[in-house]
Amino acid sequence: GAVVSQHPSWVICKSGTSVKIECRSLDFQATTMFWYRQFPKQSLMLMATSNEGSKATYEQGVEKDKFLINHASLTLSTLTVTSAHPEDSSFYICSARRTGGFTEAFFGQGTRLTVV
Amino acid sequence: QQQVKQSPQSLIVQKGGISIINCAYENTAFDYFPWYQQFPGKGPALLIAIRPDVSEKKEGRFTISFNKSAKQFSLHIMDSQPGDSATYFCAAESTGDYKLSFGAGTTVTVRA
């Protein structure tokens, strides 16, 4: 199957700093990528939809200025957590679909963010 | 508000037994129903998926049963193995929206 790679797999940062997480589709082009957040023992919650070449669409309750999303190419989307605080500590997961309306979503391996 | 309700929250099954996870939805616009398997510290991986035009789909030891009128679907894991111990999520999506709504998840533990 298609591969979606996230980097880094885990990161620890100090409170008040910013952290960037990359999501790459390695062997296909993805017009649309999605960013999810998952707290321990909970389900995935969609944060935003990232569209190549346009602004991301955020779900209700997600702060746009805090979670900056950039989809600069058909294979790369980035999520930047700005001015991170301990409550932002979570597991962040991206997913991507092949351009052309294919149904299956491929997920990255996730990024564990810990803010201290 | 969870658009897809999943149960049970957890289950324990003996090796060789059958694991059954149930999901229900309200949004009749949903027309794609995948199941994902997630191991600790990893992203979810697609296990099997179904569309409403069929009532059952089987892939190896995994079977989805779909009841359109009841707006329910379930995952059956036959001959459960210790390697199947994971968290399983059902999800639903409507065509063109491409946004997956996930159930709360079921943690399956298979005892050897």
Side-chain angles (χ1 to χ4, degrees):
Chain A
V3 178
V4 174
S5 177
Q6 275 183 248
H7 179 81
S9 296
W10 59 270
V11 58
I12 301 174
C13 72
K14 290 185 177 181
S15 187
T17 62
S18 296
V19 174
K20 180 185 286 188
I21 303 169
E22 292 186 348
C23 177
R24 293 182 184 273
S25 54
L26 296 186
D27 52 0
F28 66 98
Q29 294 184 332
T31 305
T32 304
M33 293 185 176
F34 301 87
W35 287 96
Y36 295 85
R37 186 173 180 174
Q38 186 178 35
F39 290 107
K41 299 190 183 302
Q42 293 190 22
S43 188
L44 285 76
M45 296 303 297
L46 180 65
M47 297 175 66
T49 303
S50 169
N51 297 295
E52 187 267 336
S54 64
K55 290 184 178 180
T57 304
Y58 291 82
E59 295 300 302
Q60 193 172 8
V62 177
E63 299 176 59
K64 302 177 184 181
D65 296 331
K66 180 161 193 62
F67 299 100
L68 300 179
I69 292 173
N70 183 277
H71 195 147
S73 75
L74 287 172
T75 59
L76 174 64
S77 176
T78 60
L79 168 68
T80 301
V81 183
T82 63
S83 186
H85 291 284
E87 56 265 31
D88 298 324
S89 298
S90 188
F91 194 51
Y92 293 88
I93 309 170
C94 71
S95 75
R97 278 194 167 86
R98 282 191 178 95
T99 298
F102 290 87
T103 303
E104 183 176 352
F106 298 95
F107 285 81
Q109 74 271 32
T111 297
R112 172 74 59 195
L113 170 63
T114 302
V115 185
V116 297
Chain B
Q1 182 185 356
Q2 205 125 36
Q3 294 197 58
V4 181
K5 295 189 180 346
Q6 183 173 346
S7 63
Q9 187 175 15
S10 63
L11 67 92
I12 299 173
V13 63
Q14 293 296 317
K15 181 181 176 182
I18 302 173
S19 303
I20 301 175
I21 306 169
N22 300 299
C23 286
Y25 64 97
E26 288 298 324
N27 187 347
T28 55
F30 287 149
D31 59 1
Y32 174 66
F33 303 90
W35 284 88
Y36 291 89
Q37 180 188 57
Q38 185 180 32
F39 293 103
K42 302 294 184 183
L46 180 66
L47 202 57
I48 187 173
I50 198 169
R51 289 199 176 272
D53 51 348
V54 297
S55 59
E56 185 175 282
K57 184 175 181 179
K58 183 175 180 180
E59 289 184 1
R61 296 184 294 108
F62 302 94
T63 300
I64 299 178
S65 297
F66 187 84
N67 186 329
K68 187 175 181 178
S69 61
K71 291 184 283 188
Q72 295 175 348
F73 57 110
S74 61
L75 176 69
H76 294 230
I77 306 174
M78 314 299 285
D79 187 26
S80 296
Q81 299 297 311
D84 296 332
S85 296
T87 299
Y88 294 82
F89 293 96
C90 62
E93 176 187 292
S94 53
T95 300
D97 189 21
Y98 301 130
K99 290 185 181 181
L100 286 165
S101 294
F102 283 87
T106 297
T107 300
V108 174
T109 303
V110 182
R111 297 225 191 277

